[in-house]
């Protein structure tokens, strides 16, 4: 059995890790870290876990945890892991970091978008960006996996095939994303109260959201050069789910014509044909968050618009699963040589 | 592998059966029956099942299905199964009926509350009421299991220990139940449109809901005599979940005193101590539907009120799981000698 | 123009007062009191009021406010008004208190249920309970109006006619109430976050909610003797609305028969025939919160159940309007001799 | 008093017309047209109107209605009004058509996007597009007003100032819109059931939604030449509200620099400074649907993104008010020389 520790086990992403790992046949959770609830029974904080998890919460002691665990998941605020990570820890345990600390390769980009200084930039080069479908082989050999952000995963998976195939001009890419409210975390803020979120839609972080450089970095790899994208997140009155609608101008072919839906769709099949967790929907069927809720799937599709010369790309995932805890477990499976879908075959729950 | 057939596979309860059976290690679904969607791919109707279920829907042919399946689940309108069931079918396959056709032992009660005549009352005596925690041994030997209603399961599990122990006067029992909207089914009715249900609470079926005699029949067994209860269902703006709040007058003890919370809680422990799927919550913690969503649990608790001499009993379950498809699979497990929780260990999904 | 001041203008009830008074033709708001937002523009806190309300928030200075205002609304925590009220204030301005401080006539009952000592019990006798339909004439002459609680208004209006007419045994009364989440206030608490409330139903304050003695006090007046009731509030995933389902045993008539629906409904008509804001629904139509949302209406109805000898009474209102701010304005209208429905003729908003 | 008739009074837009006109001081409704509910009391269909509207529904007889009414609102399916309109009707009553029949000037564009032939193209030239803030003077003189679509109103109001001022390249315009479910109407469709819409976000009508040519036509007037835009609507799990997020490339100035937020915002002020129903929010504050719910406001704002050279424009309105019935009444006010905001000063309802 793989011994897993979680730092930040009582946030929504941490709790989802607990839900998934509890059903994972090769793992046992040995550390439920939660500074806010030390010594409280986990099942009293998340009562869905009542009589399922018997353990109580422990403090956030990464050094001690590294002695006890084979893998450590950090579902912690930005800057935490960067400030405490060191070689001793990395030698003892694999790390899957759900924060943003090791996602961006350029420390200046990190410090500029996050507004904090990075405590251990020496590990940035080593860290592997844990978008499993893109970096599978590198992840298998990693010690430190930077688990992608929720918006980021959905945005990249949605746009990647067309960027990679050169079918769109990546600098025209506009990503309009809609997220359920669990993405805002479990902190007690007025803005996230039921009555403030319910019956409402809003954009936020316009032209300034921190997932932007992460999207740009990865798509830049696909394009073979730096790209700049517009990214706008929105808060939707639902618990889970991210829907991405992305727009880009199609590149005309040598004969001046636009690529058609067939060519466009072929690019998706080329990239994702064999992927368990990415489902390319049938033509003209739009992804919807309800069809992936509770599961590790990303549903994608696209449609060209000859009138405007653009393609509309769409993707949907569960922000707590493929957008956080599910992908973290997928990364763990890769790190330990387990079947990639172990513990992740949850059928989406509907309605 | 147990070969399972579903008649009514495209209603919400049928779809939940598909979700649960897909993850069940000892079962394969051989028949997705749906008169409305014959020959359509199941994954096109319920896109959560896309690339998970490859089969298409078949017509509702119970005779043919009985040749192909070991167990048949009927998630059909009231009256359907009663009108087609016969000995040949019962000799070939076990039946778990999610409709009300065989739940009430007295055909006159059935015909009076449902307003239809019963097509095969000869099987009423044989049918076993499939509330697993109460009738486990009988179910194991049955051919025909009448899977309980969603409100009924929650109401009975919540009140049973105190009725059985004689701690309350069963004729004072009042059951006030609140249900998510999936209980209303997938039929296209104006009353169930999003804008009609959202931001609304209402009672319905006041003093006339068909689950009333079912509750009375079972609690009557517990009381050792017929009982009459008040039952009022309410529609709540959520997808899943039933919450029952039940009220009854406590029976005074010989010395004139009322039983206390300890005695009351002891009755619950006596009945449910060893039950996997019934969780007795800690004192003063109220059941909430969110903590059981997606799972087969029923959470129960109670509180005495010395001011009024009453006890307030509370229970919560997922109407599509323990209230329908989950309990149906639990019944199947009993019928085939499998571990009772096989395929039912889903951790509740929150948020 | 009546000059109105609000202490607690940035809670949900205070904001609803602002919404209603802004459209009231005989009133101007001269004081937006909010300790938390002093000197901040009101339209920046509640952006629905942007360009409608130009004023900024002021501190909670009741003495100074009494010099400037003709009427003061206190939408404040329990205990606040009791601790600062004095004769000087009462001589200068009329007070409509939306807190519980002057609702209960017996200071011991107040102190026992609220767990705080009462700062000015000398005003309890004078204060008039502001349920307008029951106490209209007393309110007109009052200086200090105790505006009823939201659950209380709905519960009392629903049960009053049958208690008053002696048609039910008041000690058998059980009130099961369901409330939208705005009733929980705008404080930043984890329990009221969107993801915690959404897709959930729960009871709370079982056998201990503070609105219980308020219901008992008023219904006791109707019964002509003290009554004891069971009251259980529930939190529902919607913004506004309270639905009350109340149960009681019918009193048999001299001939041993039960009163029928006609007699029962006649009692409602006797009490409410001429009331603008109480609508008795047609037979067999259940009140629903959506039909009163945004308005000052209470919709009521009832149904007898000959099987159990009980009657089920139902009522629905908007907790922020008739359950708080609307009734407060209705009280103000009575205090100042205005038409009772001035500023309150908002048509319910649906959907 | 203006005598108003409504054809299609029992759809959501029709019901909102009833709500608004009921509170309008210069209007009485003389005809509640509803083919589906002929002779049924209006207050039985929309119970929020119980005891407010006493009338019953009438058939859809436009000829007869024209004799009885000064203004006719048609909230009817596409094609209906075009098929029955004639000179006699137009000579007797003013028409405000909430359908799309007279919005598009080019009958070929109409027939191509709507897939039906137009029954009376001879009135297309005369019809005035009823976006009040853009066409105020023409509306005052009109007989036939084509009330704009909900998405269209929000999209045009949001983008108009920058198109008009030439600050953006209109052919780069991408409009990503999110709508509450009341926009889908009250028809009984499975896709609009509570459980299908709740906890879900989806795009629909991708690259093919009928509001696209309407947006293009109006913005073309602003640009002084035809424009082509991308428009993608999304369905959000809420009753009311449309949020538009629009993206376009800024035009560089002669010196090669991009216009800044100040210049951009100035364009909004130039267009909307004196508009009652358009609120330009303070810098960095994003429009949210909750702040306009139940009211006739459109809230707008924008933000430049120097990184991408784009501007993000945002707008929010209530689809049933400014997006349908409210704007229709605003048009009626203009047609009859009433104050433009008569009956429309509803304060937004929050929460």
């Amino acid at each position: 059995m793989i011994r897993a520790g979680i730092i930040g086990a009582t946030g929504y992403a941490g709790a989802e890790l607990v839900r998934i790992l509890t059903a994972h046949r090769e793992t046992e959770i040995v550390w439920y870290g939660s500074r806010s609830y030390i010594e409280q029974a986990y099942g009293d904080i998340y009562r869905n876990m009542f009589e399922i998890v018997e353990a109580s919460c422990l403090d956030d002691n990464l050094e001690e945890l590294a002695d006890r665990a084979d893998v450590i998941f950090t579902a912690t605020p930005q800057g935490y892991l960067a400030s405490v990570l060191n070689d001793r820890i990395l030698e003892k345990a694999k790390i899957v970091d759900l924060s943003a600390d090791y996602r961006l390769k350029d420390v200046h980009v990190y410090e500029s978008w996050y507004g904090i200084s990075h405590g251990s930039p020496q590990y940035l080069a080593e860290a592997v960006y844990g978008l499993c479908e893109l970096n599978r082989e590198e992840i298998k050999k990693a010690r430190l996996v930077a688990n992608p952000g929720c918006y980021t995963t959905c945005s990249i998976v949605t746009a990647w095939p067309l960027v990679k195939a050169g079918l769109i001009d990546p600098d025209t890419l506009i990503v309009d994303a809609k997220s359920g409210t669990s993405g805002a975390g479990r902190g007690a803020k007025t803005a996230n109260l039921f009555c403030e979120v319910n019956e409402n839609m809003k954009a936020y972080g316009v032209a300034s959201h921190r997932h932007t450089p992460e999207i740009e970095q990865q798509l830049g790899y696909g394009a073979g050069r730096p790209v700049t994208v517009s990214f706008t997140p929105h808060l939707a009155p639902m618990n889970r789910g991210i829907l991405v609608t992305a727009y880009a101008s199609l590149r005309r072919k040598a004969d001046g014509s636009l690529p058609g839906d067939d060519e466009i769709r072929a690019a998706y099949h080329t990239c994702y044909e064999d992927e368990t967790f990415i489902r390319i929907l049938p033509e003209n069927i739009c992804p919807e968050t309800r069809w992936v809720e509770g599961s590790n799937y990303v549903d994608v599709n696209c449609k060209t618009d000859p009138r405007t010369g653009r393609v509309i790309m769409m993707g949907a995932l569960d922000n707590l699963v493929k957008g956080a805890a599910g992908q973290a477990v997928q990364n763990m499976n890769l790190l330990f040589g387990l079947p990639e879908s172990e513990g992740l075959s949850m059928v989406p729950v509907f309605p």
Side-chain angles (χ1 to χ4, degrees), chain A residues 126-192:
Chain A
E126 163 181 3
V128 176
Y129 191 72
L131 214 166
C132 310
E133 286 76 9
L134 300 194
N135 293 335
R136 184 168 282 122
E137 296 312 315
E138 291 77 359
I139 294 164
K140 289 178 180 171
K141 298 171 290 190
R143 294 193 301 176
L144 171 58
V145 174
N147 206 59
C150 51
Y151 282 124
T152 329
T153 299
C154 198
S155 301
I156 295 169
V157 168
T158 299
W160 177 263
L162 301 192
V163 171
K164 181 75 180 168
L167 287 162
I168 57 173
D169 174 358
D171 288 323
T172 64
L173 187 64
I174 289 170
V175 178
D176 189 288
K178 300 87 180 166
S179 174
T181 304
S182 58
R186 212 190 189 198
K189 295 179 188 164
T190 299
N192 295 334

Side-chain angles (χ1 to χ4, degrees), chain A residues 17 20-21 24 73 96 130-134 136 139-140 145 147 153 275-278 296-298 321-344:
Chain A
L17 270 170
I20 294 172
L21 291 175
H24 192 286
F73 297 95
V96 180
L131 214 166
C132 310
E133 286 76 9
L134 300 194
R136 184 168 282 122
I139 294 164
K140 289 178 180 171
V145 174
N147 206 59
T153 299
E275 291 299 339
T276 304
F277 294 122
I278 302 182
N296 202 47
Y297 290 107
V298 191
V321 189
K322 184 62 177 175
Q327 184 149 256
V329 172
Q330 193 179 351
N331 275 309
M332 180 193 78
N333 289 340
L334 289 171
L335 289 171
F336 289 85
L338 299 172
E340 193 169 330
S341 63
E342 170 56 38
L344 294 171

Side-chain angles (χ1 to χ4, degrees), chain A residues 199-221:
Chain A
E199 296 296 293
N200 191 41
M201 286 289 303
K202 68 172 178 185
Y204 65 98
V206 177
S208 61
H209 192 278
R210 293 161 171 190
H211 283 182
T212 311
E214 197 179 326
I215 298 170
E216 290 176 342
Q217 176 178 279
Q218 296 303 312
L219 292 184
Y221 297 152

Side-chain angles (χ1 to χ4, degrees), chain A residues 97-109:
Chain A
D97 178 27
L98 283 78
S99 86
D101 283 3
Y102 299 97
R103 294 178 192 158
L104 297 169
K105 289 300 172 191
D106 183 334
V107 69
H108 302 298
V109 173

